[in-house]
Amino acid sequence: MKILILNGPNLNLLGKREPEVYGSQTFDDYFAKLQSKFKDVQLEYYQSNIEGEIIEKLQEFGFSYDGIVLNAAAYTHTSVGIGDAVKAIKTPVVEVHISNTHKREEFRHVSYISPAAKGVILGFGLQSYELAIMSFLEVSA
């Protein structure tokens, strides 16, 4: 099984950025734990602060991978293009968020990705990624 984890803007600052919201662990450290936990899964990770690069990765992996875990971060609430890319690909996408976006500012309550996503997981901290990976494994089991 091949799964891409695709992170959007500012998630490269995990561990430094607003630790009261996002925690103190870097994503690179967390990704190493995911790789250790899911040894039978080929996990790939990509992060970009650029909307077009996220769309290009969705298109690149969206016809050959078994799943994509997408945290588009702030682009979730603004990018029709990313939402359209999720609709255009064959690979199922699980939208994830570290925080519970519904407990935050009102603009974060809208997602352009959710209507095309297989599912949405939010508010479980970094564990949201693990839950998303597990959702792909449960389907194939």
Side-chain angles (χ1 to χ4, degrees):
M1 173 159 289
K2 298 187 296 186
I3 297 174
L4 170 68
I5 297 175
L6 183 54
N7 276 344
N10 299 311
L11 291 171
N12 56 309
L13 296 178
L14 287 177
K16 298 176 187 171
R17 173 189 179 210
E18 299 177 83
E20 67 281 0
V21 175
Y22 300 104
S24 58
Q25 187 172 33
T26 68
F27 196 82
D28 287 337
D29 288 344
Y30 182 68
F31 185 67
K33 288 181 182 180
L34 289 174
Q35 288 177 307
S36 178
K37 180 169 184 152
F38 298 103
K39 289 183 168 96
D40 294 336
V41 177
Q42 180 185 330
L43 289 174
E44 188 154 340
Y45 168 57
Y46 183 80
Q47 187 277 329
S48 179
N49 294 318
I50 302 170
E51 182 179 16
E53 289 181 0
I54 294 167
I55 292 169
E56 287 177 357
K57 286 297 176 188
L58 286 166
Q59 292 175 358
E60 178 183 344
F61 291 91
F63 296 93
S64 58
Y65 270 48
D66 299 300
I68 296 174
V69 177
L70 173 61
N71 185 343
Y75 287 141
T76 301
H77 322 292
T78 63
S79 179
V80 173
I82 291 174
D84 284 349
V86 171
K87 288 178 194 171
I89 62 176
K90 300 278 187 217
T91 299
V93 173
V94 173
E95 175 185 346
V96 301
H97 298 283
I98 296 167
S99 68
N100 180 345
T101 57
H102 296 286
K103 286 185 167 184
R104 299 184 66 195
E105 302 93 339
E106 191 170 329
F107 75 88
R108 294 186 197 274
H109 301 178
V110 175
S111 169
Y112 288 100
I113 296 164
S114 294
K118 171 187 169 196
V120 180
I121 301 170
L122 51 89
F124 291 96
L126 290 174
Q127 188 182 11
S128 296
Y129 293 90
E130 181 179 337
L131 295 169
I133 292 166
M134 288 171 57
S135 76
F136 292 115
L137 298 177
E138 293 297 320
V139 170
S140 66

